[in-house]
Amino acid sequence: TDKNYSKNVKIFISEGKKMKIKEINFIGNNNFSKKEIIKNFEFLSEKKFFKFWKGSFNQKNLDLDLKKITTMYKNNGYRDIEIVSHKVEYDKKNIFITIELKEGEKNYYRNFNFDGNFQFSDAELLESLMPFQYSEKPLQKGDIYNEEFFNFSVYNLNKKYMDEGYYFIQIQTEVIPIKLNELDVNFKIIESEKTKIRKVIISGNNKTYDNVIRREMLIHPGDIFNMKKLEESYRQVFMLDYFESVDPQILTIGEMTEFVDLNFKVIEKETGRANFSMGYNELHGLTGGG
């Protein structure tokens, strides 16, 4: 410009042609085929002549699908899976992705040990280690390690205590490799006193009366905390079909461990609409409706 202290900057961009993924290759995948691994991808895929619309590349999507590889391996026993490197290369028309893996050994459970449990025996706690919602048996010695199942089992272990009122239970989990392919799992448990419900708060309901929600609930002020009853109360309220969402929140009260508050936060569904229209023509003049 004509000012000494001000200049215009022009940026010229040559975008080139949009390219797609031609090949995704793996190095070090001794236990799973390329097809088995790619089947777990959510975003990336190879472009084929019969799938010409596929093959789009995005760095963020690559990072997300690399996590899918790790999850797949850990859910099939390979706790020590490592993605050593990944490389994205280009030619004039295509993109090539190479992923190098270090699988490690398939892991099996050797022992489950509990320490600090006084309210329940070791056998009772072991029975609570259910790996999924409708499992018929708990985790056992000799089972293949599965990270998703293991995390759900730890949740069920916590829930066993919470169903009996021990909301502030603390369970520390330690997984120790023994030899190349065996694992010992240690649970260090710090038990608490039973916790009661001080208040049950209903929020977000502008049209629905509190008592309509409260009569569906199985847990009330003064009751001992019970996670199972809280979950069932959530289902009962949601089944009323008045709400888009129901969010049962557990609110701690300062440093207090004797009581907690519950807040059932709801978002009500739309119950009615109004529509209006207006028009004009020479025959009828101004017209409208609602």
Side-chain angles (χ1 to χ4, degrees):
T1 68
D2 56 356
K3 302 290 193 298
N4 291 330
Y5 55 82
S6 176
K7 301 295 181 185
N8 288 336
V9 178
K10 291 183 179 180
I11 300 173
F12 296 91
I13 298 173
S14 176
E15 292 184 324
K17 293 183 178 180
K18 189 172 184 178
M19 294 185 287
K20 292 197 172 185
I21 299 169
K22 177 69 173 177
E23 290 182 6
I24 302 175
N25 294 310
F26 298 93
I27 299 172
N29 55 314
N30 301 316
N31 294 285
F32 295 97
S33 68
K34 169 181 172 178
K35 183 178 180 180
E36 288 174 314
I37 298 175
I38 291 181
K39 185 172 67 175
N40 291 273
F41 281 11
E42 185 176 353
F43 301 103
L44 301 186
S45 62
E46 296 174 329
K47 178 185 175 183
K48 305 290 185 182
F49 73 91
F50 53 89
K51 293 183 179 179
F52 58 88
W53 63 91
K54 290 187 175 291
S56 297
F57 175 78
N58 178 293
Q59 182 62 48
K60 183 179 178 180
N61 289 343
L62 173 60
D63 294 337
L64 291 171
D65 279 343
L66 289 175
K67 292 180 180 178
K68 294 282 186 181
I69 296 175
T70 302
T71 299
M72 184 210 76
Y73 268 91
K74 287 187 175 183
N75 287 344
N76 284 277
Y78 296 89
R79 181 173 174 267
D80 301 317
I81 177 64
E82 179 184 352
I83 296 177
V84 178
S85 65
H86 62 277
K87 183 166 57 176
V88 181
E89 298 175 297
Y90 308 85
D91 63 14
K92 293 182 179 181
K93 295 182 179 180
N94 302 301
I95 300 171
F96 302 87
I97 299 174
T98 305
I99 301 168
E100 184 178 356
L101 307 173
K102 185 178 180 182
E103 293 180 327
E105 296 289 329
K106 181 181 281 192
N107 294 155
Y108 300 83
Y109 295 115
R110 191 184 76 158
N111 285 310
F112 297 93
N113 305 308
F114 300 93
D115 180 45
N117 51 307
F118 300 100
Q119 302 298 331
F120 301 102
S121 67
D122 289 5
E124 288 175 313
L125 296 181
L126 190 58
E127 281 296 318
S128 71
L129 292 176
M130 292 295 179
F132 47 90
Q133 188 171 1
Y134 302 106
S135 176
E136 295 181 356
K137 63 178 184 177
L139 294 182
Q140 296 178 341
K141 297 177 183 180
D143 285 354
I144 296 172
Y145 175 84
N146 180 307
E147 186 172 74
E148 182 181 349
F149 288 175
F150 178 75
N151 290 338
F152 195 77
S153 297
V154 174
Y155 166 78
N156 280 331
L157 180 60
N158 278 272
K159 189 173 179 297
K160 183 173 184 64
Y161 274 92
M162 290 188 180
D163 285 347
E164 296 295 328
Y166 301 98
Y167 175 73
F168 290 96
I169 183 69
Q170 296 179 50
I171 301 178
Q172 299 170 2
T173 305
E174 186 180 25
V175 181
I176 302 174
I178 307 295
K179 300 179 182 178
L180 283 176
N181 62 348
E182 292 183 328
L183 302 172
D184 277 0
V185 182
N186 297 331
F187 296 101
K188 184 178 180 181
I189 300 172
I190 303 173
E191 295 180 339
S192 62
E193 296 298 322
K194 288 190 177 185
T195 301
K196 290 186 176 182
I197 306 300
R198 187 184 70 163
K199 296 179 182 178
V200 177
I201 304 161
I202 310 295
S203 62
N205 53 318
N206 300 314
K207 297 185 287 290
T208 309
Y209 289 113
D210 281 9
N211 69 304
V212 174
I213 299 172
R214 290 184 188 276
R215 69 190 181 197
E216 300 297 326
M217 297 172 59
L218 304 178
I219 192 165
H220 309 284
D223 289 352
I224 292 174
F225 181 86
N226 186 302
M227 182 62 79
K228 184 177 181 180
K229 287 184 178 180
L230 179 59
E231 292 174 347
E232 187 61 33
S233 297
Y234 157 76
R235 284 191 285 270
Q236 292 283 92
V237 173
F238 193 78
M239 287 296 289
L240 287 172
D241 203 29
Y242 296 161
F243 310 108
E244 288 184 13
S245 70
V246 178
D247 181 16
Q249 301 171 340
I250 304 168
L251 309 176
T252 56
I253 308 164
E255 300 295 322
M256 189 182 297
T257 59
E258 294 88 350
F259 293 95
V260 292
D261 291 342
L262 300 180
N263 178 25
F264 273 71
K265 187 176 181 181
V266 300
I267 298 176
E268 293 176 314
K269 286 186 176 180
E270 183 179 330
T271 56
R273 288 183 178 176
N275 295 296
F276 299 92
S277 63
M278 184 170 289
Y280 174 83
N281 60 55
E282 292 184 358
L283 181 62
H284 299 103
L286 190 65
T287 60

